[in-house]
Amino acid sequence: LVDVIVGHANADFDVFASMLACKKLYPEALLLFSGSCERNVREFITLHKHIVEITRLRDIDLDRITRLIIVDTKRAGRLGIFERLIKRKKVTIHLYDHHPRGPKDMRGERKEIKEVGATTTILTRILKRRRIPLSRLEATILALGIYEDTGSFTFPSTTREDLEAVSWLLSKGANLSLVSDFLTRELSTSQVTL
């Protein structure tokens, strides 16, 4: 019996932070990416690989998965290889997402869906409610997820809940300098030339 936490392909910080938050709720679950990650997420993971263990796809037998914990999407088509597990009767689906509902949404046995600026906000509220402790680095990663998906609180989808979630993360030691380092990316010389 294997639980897997996964998000949409081309994972951004909201996916990564949501996966990390879910790991606090499902401690036995494995973290897997359904495809590639954005460059800044890959760089962050490389620098901080000691805090989170990502399982590689080739190291798991998909037929052993009994529960998929899916973050930041309700669309099976965004899950890469995991899409084929959605219709299997023996696989339980738990969904955590902040996107508006749509006709192609997956069904889940458990759903935490709320239209806020980031999926990480939903999970941060759950962690706070359950009084689950976070390290400073974990709080920083969760803040990164919220800052990125709200455009540092400038996108119209930003809600009061997003601001309250980050306020709580700051009280847990989230490092805004680190958040800024990973969100502010200058163009490389080759990108400027192009």
Side-chain angles (χ1 to χ4, degrees):
L1 303 178
V2 177
D3 290 353
V4 167
I5 301 168
V6 66
H8 62 74
N10 198 30
D12 56 15
F13 272 116
D14 192 27
V15 168
F16 177 54
S18 295
M19 289 171 62
L20 186 70
C22 274
K23 179 75 170 163
K24 303 292 261 181
L25 301 173
Y26 304 86
E28 302 303 315
L30 302 175
L31 301 176
L32 280 102
F33 288 116
S34 61
S36 61
C37 297
E38 289 183 354
R39 189 183 77 186
N40 55 351
V41 174
R42 279 195 315 271
E43 289 174 8
F44 189 93
I45 291 170
T46 300
L47 285 172
H48 301 282
K49 58 184 161 220
H50 59 283
I51 63 119
V52 61
E53 184 179 336
I54 307 292
T55 303
R56 293 176 305 189
L57 264 175
R58 66 176 177 234
D59 293 337
I60 187 165
D61 178 1
L62 294 180
D63 291 329
R64 295 188 61 230
I65 296 173
T66 52
R67 180 164 53 183
L68 270 181
I69 300 121
I70 301 168
V71 300
D72 204 29
T73 188
K74 296 182 292 295
R75 310 281 296 279
R78 297 191 73 197
L79 293 176
I81 196 164
F82 295 102
E83 180 180 3
R84 67 182 185 200
L85 300 179
I86 300 302
K87 290 192 170 41
R88 290 189 184 170
K89 286 187 173 25
K90 69 170 191 148
V91 178
T92 304
I93 307 293
H94 288 195
L95 295 168
Y96 296 87
D97 191 29
H98 73 112
H99 296 98
R101 297 187 196 303
K104 296 183 179 179
D105 289 355
M106 293 177 274
R107 299 189 191 284
E109 282 74 13
R110 175 171 185 171
K111 292 191 287 192
E112 293 283 344
I113 313 294
K114 186 165 177 58
E115 287 188 43
V116 292
T119 300
T120 307
T121 297
I122 297 165
L123 288 152
T124 298
R125 290 165 57 99
I126 294 169
L127 295 176
K128 179 182 178 184
R129 190 169 59 241
R130 294 190 188 176
R131 294 189 168 102
I132 295 175
L134 293 175
S135 70
R136 290 173 180 254
L137 188 56
E138 289 168 338
T140 301
I141 294 167
L142 270 57
L144 259 167
I146 297 170
Y147 268 88
E148 182 185 66
D149 248 34
T150 62
S152 298
F153 306 114
T154 63
F155 294 165
S157 57
T158 304
T159 65
R160 187 187 80 230
E161 287 97 333
D162 300 302
L163 295 162
E164 289 170 350
V166 167
S167 175
W168 182 73
L169 292 169
L170 288 172
S171 77
K172 298 298 171 193
N175 179 338
L176 291 184
S177 294
L178 196 54
V179 169
S180 178
D181 286 348
F182 278 90
L183 291 186
T184 309
R185 289 293 181 194
E186 300 297 324
L187 294 177
S188 68
T189 307
S190 60
Q191 289 170 325
V192 170
T193 303
L194 179 63

